[in-house]
Amino acid sequence: MNTLEEQYEVDNIFDNMKEAELQTPSNTDTSVKNVVLENAPSMLSPEWHDYAMTLFQEDELVNGHPLVTGLRRVSELVLGPMKFSGPTWVKPTDRDDHHGRATVIFTIEFANGLRCSEVADSWEGNTDDMFCAFAVAIASTRAEARALRKVLKIKGVAAEELTKKDTAKIVRDISKQN
């Protein structure tokens, strides 16, 4: 058992500490911070792409290709909050369509008025087998990634747009059959 002196030290352990204020949204600045460097290149300059790619975290890239989650975060970091983001036109797969092709137009609008739409499709020839059953969702994600890449002026493709399949060969083979 503790002596009286030891108990007193334990009971008064915080006496000499300043009273700390709990950080909550009501007493903390939660506004958007400008973390983009002031000396960042213009989005219209040739250096922009390389700079923009430094804004992605390591877990937001797959073999150097940005994931759509990273594209969302970086676009709001650079352009401000989104006012709207979602599919604005969807053509789901048809039973008569032996490829199971889905096409989606995805639109993004930022609070500053910037608006961008892009289209993408997904079918068995351009989608890895484990995702073919989700043609509409894959098409939507690809279209969103394209719209975000467009507004961010990022070169290349997003990770979700890639497939391990040889799409060119698949299309050639189908063309020969038809």
Side-chain angles (χ1 to χ4, degrees):
M1 177 137 189
N2 292 345
T3 66
L4 205 48
E5 186 176 303
E6 288 172 332
Q7 185 62 43
Y8 176 78
E9 286 178 21
V10 171
D11 289 345
N12 297 304
I13 194 166
F14 297 110
D15 282 353
N16 293 329
M17 295 182 68
K18 291 182 181 179
E19 196 171 308
E21 184 178 2
L22 183 62
Q23 299 280 316
T24 67
S26 63
N27 67 10
T28 305
D29 180 11
T30 59
S31 63
V32 175
K33 310 290 187 292
N34 185 8
V35 296
V36 177
L37 297 178
E38 288 181 19
N39 61 350
S42 162
M43 286 184 82
L44 302 176
S45 76
E47 294 83 25
W48 172 256
H49 168 81
D50 291 336
Y51 170 74
M53 293 305 292
T54 68
L55 299 174
F56 291 92
Q57 296 176 358
E58 189 176 319
D59 64 348
E60 295 173 332
L61 298 169
V62 175
N63 297 324
H65 299 279
L67 289 163
V68 75
T69 55
L71 287 163
R72 284 185 203 121
R73 185 186 64 77
V74 171
S75 68
E76 288 193 295
L77 179 72
V78 173
L79 301 167
M82 289 182 199
K83 182 177 169 182
F84 174 80
S85 174
T88 49
W89 184 84
V90 177
K91 183 194 180 298
T93 58
D94 292 330
R95 288 184 185 172
D96 297 336
D97 183 358
H98 69 284
H99 298 301
R101 183 183 306 266
T103 306
V104 174
I105 296 175
F106 199 96
T107 301
I108 299 165
E109 185 174 354
F110 291 87
N112 66 9
L114 179 62
R115 182 182 168 116
C116 183
S117 295
E118 262 302 336
V119 64
D121 67 351
S122 173
W123 62 287
E124 64 191 47
N126 74 355
T127 305
D128 291 335
D129 291 343
M130 71 186 302
F131 301 113
C132 278
F134 312 105
V136 173
I138 296 296
S140 180
T141 300
R142 287 176 173 173
E144 179 183 8
R146 289 177 181 178
L148 291 167
R149 283 189 302 103
K150 184 186 273 186
V151 298
L152 283 173
K153 300 182 184 330
I154 291 180
K155 303 171 191 172
V157 296
E160 291 88 352
E161 295 177 84
L162 298 171
T163 181
K164 294 176 186 147
K165 293 182 176 181
D166 185 349
T167 301
K169 180 183 180 321
I170 293 168
V171 170
R172 278 193 307 274
D173 290 348
I174 290 171
S175 294
K176 289 176 186 175
Q177 291 172 6
N178 294 338

